[in-house]
Short mmCIF file of all heavy atoms in Angstrom, two decimals:
data_model
loop_
_atom_site.label_atom_id
_atom_site.label_comp_id
_atom_site.label_asym_id
_atom_site.label_seq_id
_atom_site.Cartn_x
_atom_site.Cartn_y
_atom_site.Cartn_z
N MET K 819 104.31 86.47 101.43
CA MET K 819 103.28 85.85 102.42
C MET K 819 101.94 85.67 101.63
O MET K 819 101.67 86.37 100.65
CB MET K 819 102.96 87.01 103.42
CG MET K 819 104.09 87.15 104.51
SD MET K 819 104.32 85.60 105.52
CE MET K 819 102.81 85.62 106.55
N ALA K 820 101.31 84.72 102.05
CA ALA K 820 99.97 84.42 101.43
C ALA K 820 99.05 85.48 101.59
O ALA K 820 99.21 86.26 102.58
CB ALA K 820 99.42 83.03 101.97
N TYR K 821 97.92 85.48 100.68
CA TYR K 821 96.93 86.46 101.00
C TYR K 821 95.99 85.95 102.18
O TYR K 821 95.90 84.78 102.29
CB TYR K 821 96.17 86.69 99.67
CG TYR K 821 96.69 87.55 98.67
CD1 TYR K 821 97.87 87.30 98.00
CD2 TYR K 821 96.07 88.91 98.40
CE1 TYR K 821 98.45 88.15 97.11
CE2 TYR K 821 96.70 89.70 97.53
CZ TYR K 821 97.85 89.41 96.90
OH TYR K 821 98.47 90.29 96.02
N LYS K 822 95.27 86.93 102.81
CA LYS K 822 94.34 86.56 103.73
C LYS K 822 93.07 87.33 103.43
O LYS K 822 93.14 88.51 103.05
CB LYS K 822 94.88 86.93 105.19
CG LYS K 822 95.69 86.02 105.79
CD LYS K 822 96.15 86.39 107.25
CE LYS K 822 94.98 86.05 108.17
NZ LYS K 822 95.41 86.14 109.64
N ILE K 823 91.84 86.84 103.66
CA ILE K 823 90.65 87.46 103.48
C ILE K 823 90.21 88.08 104.69
O ILE K 823 90.06 87.46 105.83
CB ILE K 823 89.63 86.50 102.89
CG1 ILE K 823 90.06 86.06 101.48
CG2 ILE K 823 88.18 87.17 102.84
CD1 ILE K 823 89.11 84.98 100.85
N THR K 824 89.98 89.50 104.78
CA THR K 824 89.53 90.17 105.90
C THR K 824 88.08 90.09 106.08
O THR K 824 87.37 89.56 105.29
CB THR K 824 89.97 91.71 105.68
OG1 THR K 824 89.17 92.24 104.63
CG2 THR K 824 91.45 91.88 105.50
N ASP K 825 87.66 90.59 107.26
CA ASP K 825 86.22 90.59 107.57
C ASP K 825 85.35 91.51 106.66
O ASP K 825 84.07 91.46 106.90
CB ASP K 825 85.89 90.73 109.02
CG ASP K 825 86.38 92.12 109.56
OD1 ASP K 825 86.68 93.04 108.76
OD2 ASP K 825 86.42 92.35 110.74
N ALA K 826 85.93 92.20 105.74
CA ALA K 826 85.17 92.99 104.73
C ALA K 826 84.33 91.95 103.74
O ALA K 826 83.39 92.35 103.10
CB ALA K 826 85.96 93.82 103.96
N CYS K 827 84.82 90.67 103.69
CA CYS K 827 84.26 89.65 102.80
C CYS K 827 82.76 89.58 102.94
O CYS K 827 82.10 89.51 104.16
CB CYS K 827 84.97 88.40 103.10
SG CYS K 827 84.22 87.04 102.00
N ILE K 828 82.08 89.55 101.83
CA ILE K 828 80.53 89.41 101.73
C ILE K 828 80.17 88.10 101.28
O ILE K 828 79.07 87.82 100.77
CB ILE K 828 80.01 90.64 100.91
CG1 ILE K 828 80.54 90.70 99.52
CG2 ILE K 828 80.09 91.93 101.68
CD1 ILE K 828 79.79 91.56 98.62
N SER K 829 81.24 87.15 101.15
CA SER K 829 80.94 85.77 100.77
C SER K 829 80.29 85.63 99.46
O SER K 829 79.43 84.78 99.24
CB SER K 829 80.09 85.03 101.85
OG SER K 829 80.90 85.00 103.11
N CYS K 830 80.74 86.44 98.43
CA CYS K 830 80.13 86.35 97.07
C CYS K 830 80.54 85.13 96.28
O CYS K 830 79.94 84.67 95.33
CB CYS K 830 80.40 87.65 96.33
SG CYS K 830 82.10 87.84 95.85
N GLY K 831 81.87 84.77 96.60
CA GLY K 831 82.45 83.55 96.07
C GLY K 831 83.15 83.85 94.76
O GLY K 831 83.88 82.90 94.11
N ALA K 832 83.19 85.04 94.26
CA ALA K 832 84.01 85.47 93.06
C ALA K 832 85.39 84.99 93.15
O ALA K 832 86.00 84.50 92.13
CB ALA K 832 83.82 86.82 92.80
N CYS K 833 86.08 85.17 94.22
CA CYS K 833 87.60 84.91 94.27
C CYS K 833 87.79 83.44 94.23
O CYS K 833 88.83 82.94 93.52
CB CYS K 833 88.04 85.41 95.76
SG CYS K 833 87.16 84.77 97.10
N ALA K 834 86.95 82.58 94.81
CA ALA K 834 87.26 81.15 94.78
C ALA K 834 87.17 80.59 93.28
O ALA K 834 87.83 79.77 92.91
CB ALA K 834 86.16 80.47 95.60
N ALA K 835 86.28 81.23 92.56
CA ALA K 835 86.15 80.85 91.15
C ALA K 835 87.39 81.27 90.36
O ALA K 835 87.74 80.59 89.34
CB ALA K 835 84.96 81.42 90.44
N GLU K 836 88.09 82.29 90.81
CA GLU K 836 89.27 82.73 90.03
C GLU K 836 90.64 82.20 90.37
O GLU K 836 91.55 82.22 89.72
CB GLU K 836 89.44 84.38 90.24
CG GLU K 836 88.30 85.10 89.44
CD GLU K 836 88.29 84.96 88.00
OE1 GLU K 836 89.36 85.00 87.42
OE2 GLU K 836 87.33 84.79 87.43
N CYS K 837 90.63 81.75 91.65
CA CYS K 837 91.90 81.17 92.19
C CYS K 837 92.44 80.02 91.37
O CYS K 837 91.76 79.03 91.28
CB CYS K 837 91.77 80.72 93.62
SG CYS K 837 93.35 80.17 94.36
N PRO K 838 93.69 80.10 90.81
CA PRO K 838 94.28 79.06 90.02
C PRO K 838 94.58 77.78 90.76
O PRO K 838 94.84 76.71 89.99
CB PRO K 838 95.45 79.78 89.32
CG PRO K 838 95.83 80.76 90.29
CD PRO K 838 94.59 81.33 90.96
N VAL K 839 94.80 77.87 91.97
CA VAL K 839 95.20 76.66 92.69
C VAL K 839 94.19 76.18 93.75
O VAL K 839 94.54 75.42 94.69
CB VAL K 839 96.51 77.00 93.38
CG1 VAL K 839 97.62 77.15 92.46
CG2 VAL K 839 96.42 78.12 94.44
N GLU K 840 92.91 76.62 93.59
CA GLU K 840 91.79 76.29 94.47
C GLU K 840 92.15 76.36 96.02
O GLU K 840 91.91 75.49 96.65
CB GLU K 840 91.32 74.87 94.09
CG GLU K 840 90.92 74.80 92.67
CD GLU K 840 90.34 73.51 92.26
OE1 GLU K 840 90.29 72.52 93.17
OE2 GLU K 840 89.98 73.35 91.07
N ALA K 841 92.77 77.55 96.26
CA ALA K 841 93.14 77.77 97.64
C ALA K 841 91.97 78.38 98.45
O ALA K 841 92.11 78.49 99.75
CB ALA K 841 94.37 78.63 97.77
N ILE K 842 90.98 78.81 97.87
CA ILE K 842 89.93 79.61 98.61
C ILE K 842 88.56 78.64 98.70
O ILE K 842 88.19 78.10 97.79
CB ILE K 842 89.52 80.84 97.80
CG1 ILE K 842 90.81 81.64 97.48
CG2 ILE K 842 88.56 81.72 98.68
CD1 ILE K 842 90.66 82.88 96.72
N SER K 843 88.16 78.69 99.93
CA SER K 843 86.83 77.98 100.24
C SER K 843 85.99 78.74 101.10
O SER K 843 86.46 79.73 101.86
CB SER K 843 87.19 76.61 100.89
OG SER K 843 87.91 76.85 102.05
N ALA K 844 84.71 78.45 101.16
CA ALA K 844 83.75 79.09 102.04
C ALA K 844 84.03 78.78 103.54
O ALA K 844 84.04 77.59 103.91
CB ALA K 844 82.33 78.84 101.69
N GLY K 845 84.12 79.75 104.31
CA GLY K 845 84.20 79.50 105.73
C GLY K 845 82.84 79.91 106.40
O GLY K 845 81.93 80.09 105.84
N ASP K 846 82.93 79.99 107.74
CA ASP K 846 81.77 80.15 108.63
C ASP K 846 81.15 81.57 108.35
O ASP K 846 79.99 81.65 108.06
CB ASP K 846 82.04 80.04 110.07
CG ASP K 846 82.23 78.60 110.41
OD1 ASP K 846 81.78 77.71 109.77
OD2 ASP K 846 82.84 78.36 111.46
N ASP K 847 82.01 82.57 108.35
CA ASP K 847 81.50 83.94 108.30
C ASP K 847 82.19 84.73 107.12
O ASP K 847 81.86 85.87 106.87
CB ASP K 847 81.57 84.65 109.54
CG ASP K 847 82.96 84.75 110.11
OD1 ASP K 847 83.87 84.17 109.49
OD2 ASP K 847 83.24 85.36 111.11
N ARG K 848 83.04 84.00 106.42
CA ARG K 848 83.76 84.73 105.24
C ARG K 848 84.48 83.63 104.50
O ARG K 848 84.65 82.50 105.02
CB ARG K 848 84.67 85.75 105.71
CG ARG K 848 86.04 85.18 106.31
CD ARG K 848 87.03 86.24 106.87
NE ARG K 848 86.59 86.70 108.21
CZ ARG K 848 87.35 87.32 109.02
NH1 ARG K 848 88.65 87.49 108.76
NH2 ARG K 848 86.97 87.69 110.26
N TYR K 849 84.93 83.96 103.30
CA TYR K 849 85.75 82.95 102.57
C TYR K 849 87.11 82.97 103.21
O TYR K 849 87.54 83.92 103.74
CB TYR K 849 85.73 83.29 101.16
CG TYR K 849 84.61 82.69 100.29
CD1 TYR K 849 83.28 82.86 100.69
CD2 TYR K 849 84.80 81.79 99.31
CE1 TYR K 849 82.23 82.39 100.13
CE2 TYR K 849 83.74 81.17 98.62
CZ TYR K 849 82.44 81.49 99.02
OH TYR K 849 81.38 80.90 98.43
N VAL K 850 87.83 81.87 103.08
CA VAL K 850 89.13 81.68 103.64
C VAL K 850 90.17 81.08 102.60
O VAL K 850 89.88 80.38 101.75
CB VAL K 850 89.16 80.76 104.90
CG1 VAL K 850 88.43 81.37 106.04
CG2 VAL K 850 88.53 79.36 104.53
N ILE K 851 91.41 81.53 102.83
CA ILE K 851 92.53 81.22 101.84
C ILE K 851 93.42 80.20 102.65
O ILE K 851 93.85 80.49 103.67
CB ILE K 851 93.35 82.39 101.48
CG1 ILE K 851 92.41 83.22 100.51
CG2 ILE K 851 94.61 81.94 100.64
CD1 ILE K 851 93.09 84.64 100.20
N ASP K 852 93.69 79.08 102.02
CA ASP K 852 94.65 78.15 102.58
C ASP K 852 96.01 78.63 102.25
O ASP K 852 96.51 78.70 101.06
CB ASP K 852 94.44 76.74 101.95
CG ASP K 852 95.40 75.64 102.49
OD1 ASP K 852 96.41 76.01 103.14
OD2 ASP K 852 95.15 74.54 102.30
N PRO K 853 96.84 79.02 103.30
CA PRO K 853 98.10 79.67 103.00
C PRO K 853 99.16 78.68 102.53
O PRO K 853 100.14 79.07 101.99
CB PRO K 853 98.48 80.22 104.49
CG PRO K 853 97.84 79.41 105.48
CD PRO K 853 96.42 79.02 104.68
N GLU K 854 98.95 77.40 102.61
CA GLU K 854 99.79 76.36 102.10
C GLU K 854 99.65 76.29 100.67
O GLU K 854 100.55 75.76 99.89
CB GLU K 854 99.55 75.00 102.85
CG GLU K 854 99.68 74.96 104.31
CD GLU K 854 101.16 75.08 104.67
OE1 GLU K 854 101.97 74.44 103.98
OE2 GLU K 854 101.34 75.79 105.65
N LYS K 855 98.45 76.64 100.18
CA LYS K 855 98.23 76.49 98.64
C LYS K 855 98.55 77.82 97.87
O LYS K 855 98.84 77.85 96.74
CB LYS K 855 96.74 76.04 98.41
CG LYS K 855 96.47 74.65 98.84
CD LYS K 855 95.06 74.28 98.54
CE LYS K 855 94.67 72.85 98.91
NZ LYS K 855 93.21 72.58 98.69
N CYS K 856 98.23 78.97 98.53
CA CYS K 856 98.28 80.29 97.92
C CYS K 856 99.56 80.53 97.29
O CYS K 856 100.65 80.40 97.89
CB CYS K 856 97.96 81.38 98.92
SG CYS K 856 97.99 83.08 98.25
N ILE K 857 99.57 80.96 95.99
CA ILE K 857 100.93 81.22 95.27
C ILE K 857 100.99 82.74 95.04
O ILE K 857 101.85 83.16 94.26
CB ILE K 857 100.99 80.51 93.92
CG1 ILE K 857 99.73 80.91 93.06
CG2 ILE K 857 100.98 79.01 94.14
CD1 ILE K 857 99.94 80.46 91.55
N GLU K 858 100.20 83.52 95.74
CA GLU K 858 100.31 85.00 95.79
C GLU K 858 100.23 85.51 94.41
O GLU K 858 100.87 86.57 94.06
CB GLU K 858 101.57 85.36 96.40
CG GLU K 858 101.83 84.82 97.82
CD GLU K 858 103.25 85.00 98.29
OE1 GLU K 858 103.87 86.10 98.16
OE2 GLU K 858 103.86 83.91 98.72
N CYS K 859 99.21 85.16 93.63
CA CYS K 859 99.02 85.71 92.29
C CYS K 859 98.27 86.99 92.23
O CYS K 859 98.33 87.67 91.38
CB CYS K 859 98.34 84.60 91.39
SG CYS K 859 96.59 84.30 91.80
N GLY K 860 97.36 87.12 93.32
CA GLY K 860 96.66 88.48 93.36
C GLY K 860 95.31 88.38 92.66
O GLY K 860 94.57 89.39 92.65
N ALA K 861 94.98 87.26 92.02
CA ALA K 861 93.73 87.24 91.20
C ALA K 861 92.55 87.44 92.12
O ALA K 861 91.56 88.06 91.76
CB ALA K 861 93.63 85.93 90.70
N CYS K 862 92.56 87.00 93.35
CA CYS K 862 91.38 87.12 94.30
C CYS K 862 91.20 88.61 94.64
O CYS K 862 90.05 89.06 94.61
CB CYS K 862 91.60 86.34 95.58
SG CYS K 862 93.21 86.54 96.44
N ALA K 863 92.33 89.27 94.84
CA ALA K 863 92.23 90.66 95.22
C ALA K 863 91.68 91.50 94.02
O ALA K 863 90.93 92.44 94.26
CB ALA K 863 93.58 91.20 95.63
N ASN K 864 92.14 91.07 92.85
CA ASN K 864 91.60 91.87 91.58
C ASN K 864 90.17 91.69 91.42
O ASN K 864 89.57 92.60 90.91
CB ASN K 864 92.50 91.31 90.44
CG ASN K 864 93.95 91.81 90.36
OD1 ASN K 864 94.21 92.76 91.09
ND2 ASN K 864 94.79 91.06 89.70
N VAL K 865 89.62 90.57 91.70
CA VAL K 865 88.23 90.26 91.36
C VAL K 865 87.24 90.69 92.49
O VAL K 865 86.04 90.85 92.30
CB VAL K 865 88.07 88.79 90.97
CG1 VAL K 865 88.02 87.86 92.14
CG2 VAL K 865 86.76 88.54 90.26
N CYS K 866 87.80 90.80 93.58
CA CYS K 866 86.90 91.09 94.88
C CYS K 866 86.13 92.42 94.82
O CYS K 866 86.89 93.47 94.68
CB CYS K 866 87.69 90.93 96.12
SG CYS K 866 86.71 91.21 97.67
N PRO K 867 84.86 92.44 94.99
CA PRO K 867 84.12 93.75 94.81
C PRO K 867 84.33 94.66 96.06
O PRO K 867 84.09 95.82 95.99
CB PRO K 867 82.65 93.35 94.67
CG PRO K 867 82.64 92.00 95.46
CD PRO K 867 83.94 91.31 95.05
N VAL K 868 84.86 94.11 97.11
CA VAL K 868 84.94 94.93 98.39
C VAL K 868 86.45 94.93 98.96
O VAL K 868 86.72 95.27 100.10
CB VAL K 868 84.07 94.37 99.52
CG1 VAL K 868 82.59 94.53 99.12
CG2 VAL K 868 84.34 92.86 99.83
N ASP K 869 87.34 94.54 98.03
CA ASP K 869 88.80 94.54 98.31
C ASP K 869 89.19 93.88 99.66
O ASP K 869 89.90 94.31 100.49
CB ASP K 869 89.20 95.98 98.40
CG ASP K 869 90.74 96.19 98.23
OD1 ASP K 869 91.35 95.35 97.61
OD2 ASP K 869 91.28 97.13 98.67
N ALA K 870 88.54 92.61 99.81
CA ALA K 870 88.71 91.96 101.19
C ALA K 870 90.10 91.15 101.16
O ALA K 870 90.68 91.11 102.24
CB ALA K 870 87.62 90.96 101.39
N PRO K 871 90.54 90.62 100.11
CA PRO K 871 91.88 89.81 100.28
C PRO K 871 93.07 90.79 100.30
O PRO K 871 93.16 91.68 99.57
CB PRO K 871 92.01 89.06 98.89
CG PRO K 871 90.53 89.05 98.37
CD PRO K 871 89.89 90.30 98.88
N LYS K 872 93.82 90.56 101.38
CA LYS K 872 94.98 91.48 101.69
C LYS K 872 96.22 90.58 101.87
O LYS K 872 96.16 89.42 102.37
CB LYS K 872 94.83 92.18 102.88
CG LYS K 872 93.57 93.23 102.88
CD LYS K 872 93.82 94.44 101.98
CE LYS K 872 92.64 95.42 102.06
NZ LYS K 872 92.72 96.45 100.99
N GLN K 873 97.36 91.12 101.35
CA GLN K 873 98.55 90.49 101.63
C GLN K 873 99.19 91.00 102.90
O GLN K 873 99.27 92.08 103.17
CB GLN K 873 99.56 90.68 100.46
CG GLN K 873 100.52 89.65 100.25
CD GLN K 873 101.30 89.58 98.91
OE1 GLN K 873 101.29 90.63 98.35
NE2 GLN K 873 101.87 88.65 98.53
N ASP K 874 99.56 90.06 103.82
CA ASP K 874 100.15 90.38 105.10
C ASP K 874 101.42 91.12 104.99
O ASP K 874 102.24 90.92 104.04
CB ASP K 874 100.47 89.08 105.93
CG ASP K 874 99.25 88.55 106.52
OD1 ASP K 874 98.30 89.31 106.69
OD2 ASP K 874 99.26 87.28 106.79
FE1 SF4 X 1293 94.49 82.02 95.06
FE2 SF4 X 1293 96.12 83.90 93.88
FE3 SF4 X 1293 94.37 84.60 95.85
FE4 SF4 X 1293 96.47 83.15 96.46
S1 SF4 X 1293 96.47 85.34 95.62
S2 SF4 X 1293 94.33 82.85 97.08
S3 SF4 X 1293 96.66 81.83 94.64
S4 SF4 X 1293 93.78 83.82 93.88
FE1 SF4 X 1294 84.62 87.55 99.89
FE2 SF4 X 1294 85.76 89.22 98.12
FE3 SF4 X 1294 85.99 86.53 97.87
FE4 SF4 X 1294 83.66 87.76 97.43
S1 SF4 X 1294 85.52 87.95 96.11
S2 SF4 X 1294 84.05 85.85 98.69
S3 SF4 X 1294 83.74 89.43 98.98
S4 SF4 X 1294 86.87 87.81 99.41
#
């Protein structure tokens, strides 16, 4: 399953810079992952300071 960003996100943008397939973009109140693009590499979870990206 693709990763999803939970409401712990503080919109720092670090994950979007690390994603190899540019699946992450800024949303209204948090960053969001396009599940059609995510290849489940885990880079976003590794770089996130608040552990917001979670795999379903
Ligand atoms: Fe991008 Fe990898 Fe995170 Fe999926 S798991 S959103 S491919 S950084
Ligand atoms: Fe949100 Fe974490 Fe991504 Fe920063 S790295 S935008 S806190 S999910």
Side-chain angles (χ1 to χ4, degrees):
M819 289 293 291
Y821 278 70
K822 280 185 79 170
I823 293 175
T824 65
D825 60 8
C827 176
I828 55 172
S829 295
C830 71
C833 57
E836 291 296 320
C837 181
V839 294
E840 298 183 5
I842 308 175
S843 58
D846 287 338
D847 56 357
R848 73 182 82 158
Y849 272 58
V850 292
I851 294 171
D852 181 343
E854 299 291 321
K855 291 183 179 175
C856 178
I857 58 172
E858 303 167 48
C859 71
C862 52
N864 288 337
V865 74
C866 180
V868 294
D869 201 24
K872 299 289 187 188
Q873 205 165 18
D874 282 339

